[in-house]
Amino acid sequence: MGSDGVIATISALDYLFVPIKADRLVLESTLNFATTVNDRLIRTGISNLKALCMFWNMVDRRERTVLYDIYQQGFSLLGLDCLQTRVPVRSNFTKDLSTTGGPVYRSTLFAPDAGFTKECGFDALMDEIMRTIKIV
């Protein structure tokens, strides 16, 4: 946040969606960032931001979901919103373009494989984001 232009860029956004991971260091850093943005930009009204919404990313399906629910209660106490959709950890996220013509996972130019999109929850995440910003 200390880099030139970061605060101005964030201030110009309407919505900010922040991925969060259930890792102590990532969680502390993300919460520090989110509370700073929420307290200094949204609550004061000095920015265009209507909302900051966190969402769980890289969720290990073997972990207890109760843990995430407890974290979300803590977020609420801090005045932070968290989407319900949880994006699971997937080894396919690390694959680039396949030379064999298989599905594309990390490309920002090509749409991801439809089955992969559904399996990893991107469709549900995008639906929830669209409802949040009231497009749907």
Side-chain angles (χ1 to χ4, degrees):
M1 294 221 0
S3 299
D4 289 340
V6 172
I7 299 294
T9 301
I10 292 172
S11 295
L13 298 173
D14 289 328
Y15 295 90
L16 181 60
F17 295 90
V18 179
I20 192 164
K21 179 181 175 187
D23 170 87
R24 188 180 64 82
L25 290 175
V26 173
L27 195 59
E28 286 176 10
S29 174
T30 304
L31 286 176
N32 185 34
F33 169 79
T35 54
T36 299
V37 169
N38 197 39
D39 294 346
R40 295 189 181 171
L41 298 178
I42 296 174
R43 287 186 180 169
T44 61
I46 64 171
S47 74
N48 290 337
L49 275 172
K50 295 176 180 83
L52 177 147
C53 299
M54 297 183 300
F55 66 94
W56 289 107
N57 189 31
M58 299 179 72
V59 174
D60 186 341
R61 292 181 179 167
R62 298 171 295 180
E63 291 177 340
R64 298 181 327 211
T65 57
V66 175
L67 178 66
Y68 292 97
D69 296 336
I70 292 169
Y71 280 137
Q72 284 186 216
Q73 289 173 359
F75 301 159
S76 292
L77 293 174
L78 295 171
L80 299 171
D81 294 322
C82 188
L83 301 179
Q84 295 302 308
T85 305
R86 298 174 179 165
V87 178
V89 65
R90 300 284 302 150
S91 61
N92 287 349
F93 286 148
T94 60
K95 293 182 182 177
D96 282 311
L97 292 173
S98 171
T99 57
T100 61
V104 175
Y105 297 104
R106 288 178 55 178
S107 174
T108 56
L109 298 174
F110 303 108
D113 177 67
F116 177 73
T117 300
K118 185 164 183 61
E119 180 186 340
C120 67
F122 282 159
D123 56 347
L125 178 63
M126 292 305 115
D127 287 345
E128 189 171 4
I129 287 173
M130 289 184 348
R131 283 192 308 275
T132 300
I133 62 177
K134 298 173 182 51
I135 287 181
V136 179

